[in-house]
Amino acid sequence: MSINSQTYAEAISDLLPRVMREQAPQVSRAADLITEAIRADGVVHAFGSGHSQALAMEIAGRAGGLVPTNRLSLRDIVLYGGEPASVLDDVRLERDPSVAERVLALAPVRDGDVFVIASSSGVNGVVVELARLVKERGHGLIAITSLDHTGRVEPRHPSGKRLCDLADVVVDNGAPYGDAALPLPGGGATGAVSSVTGAALAQMIVTEVVGRLIEAGEAPPVYLSMNVPGGDEHNNQLEARYAGRIRRGA
């Protein structure tokens, strides 16, 4: 197989429609949880570490997305928790389960809020511990992960559990073991796919929620781009409903 932009495009073109079709039932179940939470004045908290931060950003605080959303991040322990910025230099931070409790303790979470946790591997300590704490406290939990990858690696959480073991809804991003889709002649692979499929699945969930609210005769709380006329005014008015509950920091 040649390794070039066209073969990557072909791989994505094959994978993406299949993932979107096969995960439609899980997308619907995820939309059930989020729609119920929003109708009850809840907020959606999204978390991802590493490259999965991009998926959390698809959920929280972007144009066309839901306003009652809040992104959690490892950086919160610096931005809101007073830790020195140097702690983020440790590449093993996402493997430390104790960090999850610190992140959650700093978050503006209320009863009835729902969580979306993204991790393609689904085994690192922070991700699994955060999922465990979320469920322990009675929140709905949606996981977006790679079932192929997570089933082929050892969990790094002391419980031996994976993210997918704890979630109410598991959405499979369809990424292969190791994430990359194009095998290299000397071993390994290139052309990561989880960011592409994950973004599509996140937007499917969001649009499903918005559609359900419209069908119920409700005005969905959706962001306008701040770069269109009236965007700031529209967004500020909606955000005021959730003052102190959603953060739009770095």
Side-chain angles (χ1 to χ4, degrees):
M1 174 191 294
S2 299
I3 305 296
N4 53 47
S5 60
Q6 188 58 41
T7 52
Y8 177 74
E10 291 169 358
I12 284 292
S13 297
D14 289 342
L15 178 62
L16 188 55
R18 175 170 60 81
V19 169
M20 297 171 79
R21 180 180 66 253
E22 293 178 353
Q23 295 305 300
Q26 286 71 30
V27 166
S28 180
R29 290 179 60 209
D32 287 342
L33 288 179
I34 293 174
T35 303
E36 181 181 355
I38 289 176
R39 283 182 171 150
D41 195 37
V43 164
V44 183
H45 300 277
F47 176 82
S49 62
H51 284 91
S52 292
Q53 293 179 81
L55 197 149
M57 294 174 72
E58 289 292 323
I59 296 289
R62 70 162 300 159
L66 296 163
V67 173
T69 52
N70 182 56
R71 181 165 65 97
L72 308 182
S73 170
L74 294 179
R75 290 178 295 178
D76 292 351
I77 63 175
V78 173
L79 294 175
Y80 308 108
E83 295 281 352
S86 59
V87 302
L88 302 178
D89 295 334
D90 186 354
V91 296
R92 298 165 297 180
L93 190 65
E94 66 177 344
R95 298 183 182 182
D96 181 356
S98 69
V99 176
E101 187 159 9
R102 291 154 65 194
V103 169
L104 191 58
L106 293 165
V109 178
R110 291 187 185 178
D111 292 345
D113 289 353
V114 66
F115 285 73
V116 178
I117 299 181
S119 171
S120 205
S121 70
V123 297
N124 280 323
V126 165
V127 165
V128 177
E129 180 65 5
L130 182 60
R132 190 191 69 78
L133 291 170
V134 162
K135 291 310 303 171
E136 181 179 82
R137 299 176 189 189
H139 298 282
L141 172 60
I142 299 157
I144 302 180
T145 190
S146 165
L147 291 180
D148 182 25
H149 186 108
T150 200
R152 297 170 62 180
V153 293
E154 291 296 319
R156 289 174 171 155
H157 190 271
S159 68
K161 291 187 179 296
R162 299 172 171 84
L163 173 61
C164 63
D165 298 325
L166 297 163
D168 298 295
V169 180
V170 178
V171 184
D172 184 5
N173 66 25
Y177 174 70
D179 202 351
L182 304 178
L184 297 174
T190 190
V193 301
S194 63
S195 296
V196 178
T197 58
L201 290 165
Q203 292 304 326
M204 286 176 69
I205 293 169
V206 169
T207 52
E208 183 71 16
V209 172
V210 170
R212 292 181 183 194
L213 294 173
I214 291 172
E215 289 174 4
E218 303 174 30
V222 171
Y223 276 110
L224 289 177
S225 170
M226 66 176 62
N227 297 310
V228 301
D232 285 339
E233 294 78 8
H234 170 90
N235 297 338
N236 291 341
Q237 184 177 26
L238 288 175
E239 286 182 342
R241 299 182 192 174
Y242 304 96
R245 302 181 63 196
I246 60 176
R247 299 187 297 214
R248 294 294 180 255

